[in-house]
């Protein structure tokens, strides 16, 4: 089901906005935990990796902003730089 859904919806503006909003909510949950519970960030990155082959972030570069912030918070600085460069 997931593969068919992605094939049909990956580049719709509604789906891209939903992905961006999801990552924003992951950051808000992390922030609400006084920046102690990184599981929200790890889950957000993990879910993005499932979608990476569809290049959704290239269509909506705001997604890369969230991913770069997640990576910095998780001390994955090289990955953060890569996300920033992809957003350009």
């Amino acid at each position: 089901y997931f593969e068919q859904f992605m094939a049909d919806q990956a580049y719709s503006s509604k789906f891209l906005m939903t992905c961006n909003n999801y990552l924003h909510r992951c950051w808000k949950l992390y922030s609400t935990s006084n920046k102690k519970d990184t599981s929200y960030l790890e889950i957000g990155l993990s879910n993005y990796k499932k979608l990476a082959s569809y290049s959704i972030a290239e269509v909506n570069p705001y997604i890369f902003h969230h991913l770069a912030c997640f990576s910095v918070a998780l001390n994955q600085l090289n990955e953060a730089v890569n996300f920033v460069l992809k957003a350009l």
Side-chain angles (χ1 to χ4, degrees), residues 13-24:
S13 59
K14 183 178 179 182
F15 180 74
L16 292 168
M17 185 182 303
T18 299
C19 289
N20 188 63
N21 290 345
Y22 167 77
L23 294 173
H24 177 73

Side-chain angles (χ1 to χ4, degrees), residues 6-86:
M6 286 304 299
D8 295 341
Q9 301 295 319
Y11 304 106
S12 76
S13 59
K14 183 178 179 182
F15 180 74
L16 292 168
M17 185 182 303
T18 299
C19 289
N20 188 63
N21 290 345
Y22 167 77
L23 294 173
H24 177 73
R25 284 181 179 81
C26 288
W27 182 263
K28 289 301 241 181
L29 289 168
Y30 164 69
S31 296
T32 303
S33 76
N34 292 320
K35 299 186 176 178
K36 292 182 178 166
D37 187 354
T38 60
S39 66
Y40 302 111
L41 306 181
E42 292 162 359
I43 291 168
L45 282 171
S46 174
N47 286 333
Y48 166 73
K49 288 177 183 175
K50 293 176 190 173
L51 305 173
S53 65
Y54 294 94
S55 302
I56 61 165
E58 286 82 348
V59 179
N60 183 348
Y62 293 107
I63 291 172
F64 284 129
H65 168 262
H66 293 300
L67 299 172
C69 291
F70 289 13
S71 297
V72 168
L74 294 169
N75 201 30
Q76 299 171 0
L77 303 182
N78 288 335
E79 184 137 357
V81 170
N82 288 333
F83 284 131
V84 169
L85 293 175
K86 287 179 180 180

